[in-house]
Amino acid sequence: MTTGIRLANVSPENVALPQLQDAILDPETLAQLFRDIQRCAVVHEVLLKGSASLMASEKSVPLDEAELALREKRVVGVQIRYWYEGTNWWDTLMHTPRGIRLIRIEHRLGG
C-alpha cells in the first residue's frame, strides 16, 4: 500500500485527466517513433514485457535492444518512460493482431 496519497478530495470536477493517445503503428511509423525518442527525448527507463502477466526485464534495457526484441517478437511489449518538452511520457508498445499498438500517457508525478 502506498502511503501519503489522499483520495478524499479527488473528484471528476477537480482532477484533470492526463493526455492519452492510442494508435496502431505500421513498421515505418514504429521505426520513426524509436528514432524520435532516441534523438529528441531523455529516456529514463525501458522495460520489456514477457507476457500478459510477466515482465521480461526487471531492469531498464537500451532502447535499441527493446526495439529489436519487439520487432523479432521476443517480447509481447515494451514500455518506454521518457521526458519530452517538459513532460514525462510513458509509451507502451504491444503486439496485437492488427500490428503494434501504442498507448501513450502523460505521467504526472506529485500533484
Side-chain angles (χ1 to χ4, degrees):
M1 178 175 194
T2 304
T3 59
I5 296 176
R6 299 179 67 190
L7 299 177
N9 295 327
V10 175
S11 70
E13 296 80 31
N14 65 9
V15 174
L17 295 176
Q19 292 185 40
L20 177 71
Q21 299 171 23
D22 187 344
I24 300 294
L25 306 181
D26 60 44
E28 295 79 25
T29 305
L30 179 64
Q32 185 65 52
L33 172 68
F34 275 96
R35 283 192 303 269
D36 289 348
I37 290 173
Q38 183 71 42
R39 291 178 188 154
C40 302
V42 176
V43 177
H44 297 296
E45 190 171 36
V46 181
L47 300 172
L48 305 177
K49 187 151 182 67
S51 70
S53 62
L54 178 67
M55 294 301 285
S57 64
E58 293 180 13
K59 291 192 248 178
S60 186
V61 300
L63 193 60
D64 58 341
E65 182 180 318
E67 181 179 9
L68 186 60
L70 189 65
R71 287 186 181 281
E72 293 179 348
K73 297 185 178 182
R74 289 185 278 127
V75 295
V76 297
V78 169
Q79 186 173 78
I80 307 165
R81 300 173 183 184
Y82 61 94
W83 177 264
Y84 176 71
E85 291 191 347
T87 302
N88 283 303
W89 296 95
W90 289 16
D91 285 6
T92 302
L93 299 155
M94 301 288 292
H95 284 283
T96 72
R98 293 178 40 220
I100 300 291
R101 181 178 182 195
L102 165 67
I103 299 176
R104 173 178 289 157
I105 188 164
E106 178 184 9
H107 189 75
R108 298 178 189 159
L109 302 175

